[in-house]
Amino acid sequence: MFVVAITSQIIPQVYGTSGHPVVLDGYEADDTTYANLSEAAGRAVIDLDNLTSTAITNEAILIEDVDYVTIQDFEMKNANGGLYITDTVSNVTIRRCYIHTMRTKGIRVTNWDTDTSSYSSGCSYITIGGSSGQGNVIKNIGINTAGTDIVVAKATDVITSYNKVYADNTDYGIDGISYLNGAENGLIEYNVIYGHNKSGSLGEDGIDIKDDNRSDATHDILIRGNYIYGNQQQCMMFQTGTYNIVAIGNYCKGNGLRGNAQPEINGKYGSHDIFVISNIIEGGAG
């Protein structure tokens, strides 16, 4: 699929199969022009031109009720969110996309069933980036405390790797990557996360692992090899019952810009079995 300009939401309607995913391509098949975290123009742009509405119809791409789908080489902007992956969707890959200037989220993986308006058992086997050169750029996301560049809720086996998530405009920038509300067996690796400094002291953490509902703890998450710097609060936060988390080989530099003696790595509110191993911590404000 190759198109130039899109001003309405895309909802894939066709299943792929194992080894043969349905591919929505915003440039050209088998082309790597937009590899290596490119922000260059030229790929297909989805521009909903609406930074006001939080309705599900104001997400650039909505993936529900279909499995084995790959989204690649799109630019998405000016909406509530970039990609909304929901219900029990499985085997979705998002790569080489440039997602920016969003009201609330960049990429959201959730277990909300839009057909029944209830919660499902959750998505599984979602890859955001996945390998060197295939990561996404997610930039200037979130105008209030609901904002997160990449959020994974109640999902299993979600890989978030080799992405660049940041803000260079203080009108945006809340949380970088958040796994929450029962996410499990996740991997967060080799991402660059910085600049979450929303004005009004609303910027938060580079990586936040938690359970907002305090009833379904996030667990069994491996966090490794990330470079996290210049965010208002923690480099990494583990809270509200989170357990079985391994953070190894990450580089935390100059976070805690809000002050108040905030540590680079913080665990609280009943989190346990958190293993912090061989990370580099440099120049934090806390």
Side-chain angles (χ1 to χ4, degrees):
M1 176 180 178
F2 174 56
V3 291
V4 177
I6 304 166
T7 57
S8 59
Q9 184 180 68
I10 292 177
I11 305 177
Q13 300 289 325
V14 182
Y15 275 89
T17 59
S18 180
H20 302 281
V22 169
V23 179
L24 276 70
D25 196 324
Y27 192 61
E28 296 180 8
D30 303 318
D31 188 278
T32 58
T33 297
Y34 296 103
N36 301 311
L37 303 174
S38 172
E39 298 180 22
R43 69 195 107 185
V45 179
I46 307 172
D47 183 354
L48 300 190
D49 193 26
N50 185 344
L51 287 170
T52 303
S53 172
T54 59
I56 196 169
T57 53
N58 195 31
E59 307 286 333
I61 298 177
L62 172 63
I63 302 176
E64 58 176 355
D65 304 323
V66 295
D67 303 324
Y68 295 100
V69 174
T70 295
I71 308 292
Q72 63 188 35
D73 293 331
F74 281 91
E75 180 179 349
M76 307 171 212
K77 63 181 180 178
N78 297 325
N80 185 56
L83 279 130
Y84 194 118
I85 304 167
T86 189
D87 196 8
T88 57
V89 164
S90 67
N91 295 282
V92 170
T93 298
I94 311 300
R95 62 190 182 196
R96 303 196 306 262
C97 289
Y98 176 30
I99 302 169
H100 64 99
T101 319
M102 296 291 179
R103 178 183 176 86
T104 305
K105 311 291 188 202
I107 297 175
R108 177 185 342 211
V109 181
T110 181
N111 61 324
W112 181 251
D113 185 339
T114 59
D115 296 323
T116 63
S117 296
S118 62
Y119 288 103
S120 70
S121 57
C123 299
S124 59
Y125 300 102
I126 310 297
T127 300
I128 302 168
S131 60
S132 181
Q134 303 300 303
N136 305 279
V137 176
I138 303 177
K139 171 184 175 182
N140 292 339
I141 308 295
I143 64 172
N144 56 41
T145 54
T148 311
D149 295 359
I150 299 172
V151 61
V152 175
K154 190 62 178 178
T156 302
D157 296 287
V158 177
I159 296 171
T160 301
S161 59
Y162 296 93
N163 303 285
K164 181 180 180 181
V165 299
Y166 75 104
D168 64 0
N169 180 339
T170 56
D171 289 337
Y172 300 91
I174 309 298
D175 268 321
I177 298 172
S178 184
Y179 279 41
L180 53 85
N181 300 353
E184 59 182 89
N185 299 330
L187 174 62
I188 304 170
E189 64 174 359
Y190 307 126
N191 302 284
V192 178
I193 307 166
Y194 66 94
H196 296 87
N197 294 303
K198 173 72 170 70
S199 58
S201 295
L202 295 179
E204 297 187 11
D205 309 309
I207 294 176
D208 191 6
I209 310 297
K210 61 182 178 179
D211 170 23
D212 280 337
N213 301 324
R214 303 193 183 220
S215 61
D216 195 357
T218 301
H219 62 93
D220 295 284
I221 309 295
L222 173 60
I223 304 168
R224 67 184 176 195
N226 300 283
Y227 181 24
I228 307 166
Y229 67 95
N231 300 289
Q232 273 192 17
Q233 293 197 33
Q234 281 75 212
C235 171
M236 292 181 277
M237 168 70 87
F238 311 116
Q239 57 180 318
T240 52
T242 294
Y243 66 95
N244 287 353
I245 309 298
V246 176
I248 184 169
N250 300 283
Y251 188 3
C252 299
K253 180 179 179 180
N255 297 285
L257 298 180
R258 192 186 295 183
N260 301 322
Q262 299 193 46
E264 287 279 348
I265 300 174
N266 193 5
K268 62 181 183 179
Y269 302 142
S271 295
H272 60 95
D273 295 300
I274 310 296
F275 303 93
V276 178
I277 305 165
S278 298
N279 298 280
I280 298 173
I281 299 174
E282 178 184 344

